[in-house]
């Protein structure tokens, strides 16, 4: 019987293997869970900070427009128009609202009477003008006419564009006679969230839970839960979202935290880098309250990195466990190796003797090789002397070629200022002869500026020996462009040039050489005029905008564009497609922008965009200069 029981007892090796497997599973699982929770906590803290930053940024952007309707409501002309509207007063107030809105940078500013009908608006000339439209059903009108401050987000009933509305009552002898409202477009906030390299998903929900701003366009005007009957009624009466269906965004909350954060599963949103990435992903979502309208901003980050870190840690723990097992196995085998040590020592002594013989042979070979190397070193020294002489000759030739290139460039760049000098000096003589002293002084001031530009062009010769000290000085883009156009208008056939300018509300100051920036503008505009046939009108679009710490300037023409074979060489010195051109204008322009730490690029617009060539200048903004100013 005892022998039979002994045969049924499992072997020790099987028990050891089972215990090892159980310990491996327990260690791997616990490591994965611990690292995953730690990474999740770290990501939670990071998203808390990001959410606070986004909330502060949006709140600051909205608060800066709070003054606008209040300032307009203080105007005496607004009160007079509401009390006694006449066509003359309406026209005058429309012009006033256009001017103040252009400086404030809002979407629209408009005045409503006590019944909610718009009397005057900054967009009175647009097809979707607010003038004559009644907005008495909007909450921002009801709140302001009751004496409060109206705040509301919704889709415009006239423009069908979403925006943030702010309103203030207009008081006359202590009585509310109407309101002033301003609409602010918040699309720029969403665009900033969609910048390349953005790692989070962001959305903003209103008090009813409707997503009104989102980094992913398909998430906008969705909800995370079914709306209550009261919320649906309010949205319908206020016509807040017009015909939007407000569907529920497909998602699943997997985990909820005490502070309101959660882990949820969403469809992956397409990006510029991965436009069609299918499937779902897990996100950590952190919420923060925003603004007086009880909005809530949510910042979401994918948990791929958290899962990857936990998975790597689990793999590392498993590998560590495997190394430990190997160490134990090694310890068991060590005793056997000790028994073989004496035999190995004898074998090693024999190998050592053989090695000494080989070392002696190798030493003899090395002595012989050393002699050959010394001969080769002497030969290389003679070749190096010859190479240094040839290199000195090449440097001298390069300097002569560079001087020739710079001389040709100066000749090319002096032509336009000299022609302008001729025109303005002739005009000055005529003006002096007619006794128009002030106009003549203006011409002489312009001539002085042109002489400075000539001095800048000739000073570029110094760049052959050293870098210019004024390549990164604060300069106003608007002022530089205006000075350039003053010179361009002196060219022959300049009357066929039509400009379309788009400027931001604030003056853009960049780091560049002032005269150099004028030279870049002049080269781009005159090249465009030369590219368009003389029988056609020249159309040039200038668009200036800020992108963070950079200023981006687009110069677009209606010419035939640039041949594909020339796009890669258009900025090379002496490369030209003109019959009598030197091929230096764009090369010098690119050098000026590079010296300022920026970039000059070119592309051909598609037929859908209108065709033509588009040059893009990217320069660093001078924010310190703006603050000091």
């Amino acid at each position: 019987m005892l022998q039979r029981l002994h045969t049924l007892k499992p072997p020790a090796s099987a028990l050891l293997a089972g215990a090892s497997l159980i310990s491996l599973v327990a260690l791997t699982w616990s490591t994965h869970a611990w690292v995953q929770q730690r990474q999740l906590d770290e990501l939670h803290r990071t998203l808390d900070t990001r959410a606070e930053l986004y909330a502060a940024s949006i709140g600051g952007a909205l608060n800066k427009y709070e003054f606008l309707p209040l300032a307009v409501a203080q105007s005496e002309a607004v009160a007079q128009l509401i009390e006694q509207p006449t066509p003359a007063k309406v026209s005058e107030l429309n012009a006033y609202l256009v001017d103040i809105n252009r400086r404030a940078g809002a979407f629209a500013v408009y005045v409503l009477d006590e019944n909610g009908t718009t009397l005057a608006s900054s967009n009175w000339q647009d097809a979707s003008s607010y003038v004559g439209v009644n907005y008495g059903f909007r909450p921002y009108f009801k709140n302001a006419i009751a004496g409060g401050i109206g705040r509301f987000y919704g889709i415009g009933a006239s423009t069908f564009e979403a925006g943030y509305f702010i309103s203030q009552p207009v008081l006359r002898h202590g009585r509310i006679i109407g309101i002033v409202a301003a609409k602010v477009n918040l699309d720029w906030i969403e665009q900033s969230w969609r910048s390349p390299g953005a790692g989070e998903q962001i959305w903003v929900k209103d008090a009813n839970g409707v997503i009104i701003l989102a980094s992913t366009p398909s998430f906008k005007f969705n909800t995370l839960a079914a709306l209550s009957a009261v919320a649906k009624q309010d949205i319908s009466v206020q016509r807040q979202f017009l015909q939007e269906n407000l569907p529920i965004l497909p998602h699943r909350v997997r985990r909820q935290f005490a502070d309101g954060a959660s882990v949820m599963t969403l469809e992956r949103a397409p990006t510029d880098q991965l436009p069609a990435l299918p499937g779902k992903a897990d996100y950590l979502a952190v919420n923060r309250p925003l603004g007086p309208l009880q909005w809530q901003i949510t910042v979401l980050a994918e948990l791929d990195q958290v899962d990857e870190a936990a998975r790597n840690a689990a793999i590392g723990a498993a590998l560590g466990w495997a190394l430990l097992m190997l160490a134990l196995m090694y310890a068991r085998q060590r005793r056997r190796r000790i028994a073989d040590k004496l035999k190995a020592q004898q074998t090693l002594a024999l190998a050592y003797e053989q090695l000494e013989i080989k070392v002696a042979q190798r030493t003899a070979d090395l002595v012989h090789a050393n002699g050959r190397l010394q001969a080769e070193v002497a030969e290389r020294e003679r070749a190096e002397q010859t190479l240094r002489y040839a290199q000195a000759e090449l440097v001298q030739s390069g300097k002569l070629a560079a001087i020739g290139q710079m001389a040709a460039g100066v000749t090319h760049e002096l032509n336009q200022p000299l022609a302008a000098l001729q025109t303005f000096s002739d005009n000055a003589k005529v003006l002096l002869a007619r006794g128009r002293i002030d106009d003549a002084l203006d011409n002489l001031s312009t001539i002085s500026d042109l002489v400075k530009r000539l001095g800048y062009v000739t000073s570029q010769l110094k760049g052959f020996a050293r870098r210019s000290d004024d390549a990164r000085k604060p300069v106003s883009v608007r002022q530089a462009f205006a000075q350039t156009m003053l010179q361009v208008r002196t060219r022959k056939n300049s009357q066929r040039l039509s400009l379309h300018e788009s400027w931001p509300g604030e003056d853009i100051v960049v780091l560049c050489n002032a005269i150099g920036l004028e030279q870049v503008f002049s080269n781009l505009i005159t090249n465009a005029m030369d590219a368009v046939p003389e029988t056609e009108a020249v159309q040039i679009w200038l668009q200036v905008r800020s992108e963070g710490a950079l200023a981006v300037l687009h110069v677009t023409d209606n010419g035939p564009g640039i041949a594909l074979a020339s796009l890669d060489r258009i900025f090379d010195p002496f490369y030209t497609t003109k019959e009598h051109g030197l091929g230096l204008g764009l090369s010098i322009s690119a050098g000026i922008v590079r010296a300022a730490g920026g970039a000059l690029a070119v592309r051909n617009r598609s037929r859908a965009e209108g065709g033509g060539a588009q040059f893009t200048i990217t320069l660093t903004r001078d924010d310190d200069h703006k603050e000091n100013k």
Side-chain angles (χ1 to χ4, degrees), residues 489 491-499 525-540 558:
R489 290 299 184 186
R491 283 175 52 94
K492 180 181 179 181
N493 295 328
S494 62
Q495 68 277 2
R496 68 190 184 102
L497 171 62
S498 296
L499 283 177
I525 293 174
T526 54
N527 283 349
M529 294 176 67
D530 293 340
V532 178
E534 294 185 359
T535 58
E536 300 179 11
V538 181
Q539 302 285 340
I540 293 181
N558 63 328

Side-chain angles (χ1 to χ4, degrees), residues 226-241:
L227 297 175
S228 65
V230 175
K232 290 181 178 179
Q233 179 67 20
D234 290 342
I235 292 172
S236 177
V237 171
Q238 300 167 4
R239 297 170 59 188
Q240 183 175 6
F241 299 109

Side-chain angles (χ1 to χ4, degrees), residues 35-340:
V35 173
Q36 185 181 51
Q37 184 61 44
R38 184 176 180 183
Q39 291 290 322
L40 194 62
D41 292 342
E42 181 65 26
L43 182 60
H44 195 157
R45 287 191 293 271
T46 300
L47 290 185
D48 276 337
T49 303
R50 299 287 290 175
E52 290 287 354
L53 180 62
Y54 284 126
S57 176
I58 297 175
L62 297 180
N63 289 338
K64 77 174 185 178
Y65 290 102
E66 291 279 346
F67 80 94
L68 184 57
L70 178 61
V72 176
Q74 306 299 320
S75 172
E76 183 66 21
V78 172
Q80 292 178 0
L81 173 67
I82 296 175
E83 289 185 331
Q84 295 181 350
T86 64
K89 291 180 181 179
V90 170
S91 178
E92 179 181 354
L93 192 58
N94 280 335
Y96 167 73
L97 294 177
V98 169
D99 178 66
I100 198 170
N101 186 57
R102 184 181 67 252
R103 288 180 286 172
F107 183 85
V109 182
Y110 48 106
V111 178
L112 296 83
D113 63 15
E114 59 184 352
N115 296 319
T117 301
T118 306
L119 301 178
S121 175
S122 61
N123 68 348
W124 65 277
Q125 291 179 314
D126 298 344
S128 57
S129 170
Y130 295 167
V131 177
V133 182
N134 186 279
Y135 297 105
F137 60 91
R138 290 295 199 185
Y140 67 83
F141 171 78
K142 296 178 181 180
N143 292 340
I145 205 68
I149 299 176
R151 299 181 180 91
F152 176 71
Y153 181 90
I155 299 176
S158 300
T159 62
F160 301 102
E161 294 186 26
Y164 179 65
F165 297 84
I166 313 168
S167 60
Q168 290 278 359
V170 179
L171 299 175
R172 187 71 164 179
H173 305 303
R175 184 174 67 87
I176 298 176
I177 61 174
I179 75 163
V180 175
K183 179 180 179 181
V184 181
N185 193 320
L186 303 182
D187 290 348
W188 63 271
I189 296 177
E190 295 177 308
Q191 293 297 331
S192 68
W193 293 344
R194 300 167 189 162
S195 60
E200 305 104 355
Q201 289 286 338
I202 308 168
W203 65 51
V204 174
K205 297 184 296 185
D206 65 6
N208 292 322
V210 179
I211 298 176
I212 58 176
L213 299 174
S215 57
T216 301
S218 61
F219 291 173
K220 196 169 182 178
F221 302 133
N222 282 242
T223 65
L224 298 182
L227 297 175
S228 65
V230 175
K232 290 181 178 179
Q233 179 67 20
D234 290 342
I235 292 172
S236 177
V237 171
Q238 300 167 4
R239 297 170 59 188
Q240 183 175 6
F241 299 109
L242 298 184
Q243 303 302 322
E244 293 289 341
N245 295 325
L246 308 180
I248 297 177
L249 182 68
H251 73 288
R252 183 168 64 91
V253 177
R254 298 180 52 200
R255 183 178 178 185
Q256 193 74 40
F257 296 93
D259 64 347
S262 62
V263 174
M264 65 173 61
T265 302
L266 287 172
E267 290 288 342
R268 278 193 177 94
T271 64
D272 293 338
Q273 293 79 17
L274 298 171
L277 184 64
K280 298 181 179 180
D282 292 335
Y283 294 83
L284 175 62
V286 175
N287 307 311
R288 282 293 176 272
L290 174 64
L293 291 179
Q294 298 180 354
W295 290 359
Q296 186 182 69
I297 184 169
T298 302
V299 182
L300 305 94
E302 244 186 276
L303 297 183
D304 287 352
Q305 293 183 352
V306 173
D307 295 337
E308 183 180 0
R311 184 169 57 252
N312 291 340
I315 294 173
L319 291 176
W321 179 91
L323 290 175
L324 178 61
M325 293 297 103
L326 289 175
L328 293 177
M329 293 175 62
Y330 171 79
R332 294 180 62 185
Q333 297 296 328
R334 188 172 183 273
R335 291 182 179 180
R336 298 179 182 178
R337 290 201 303 269
I338 293 176
D340 299 333

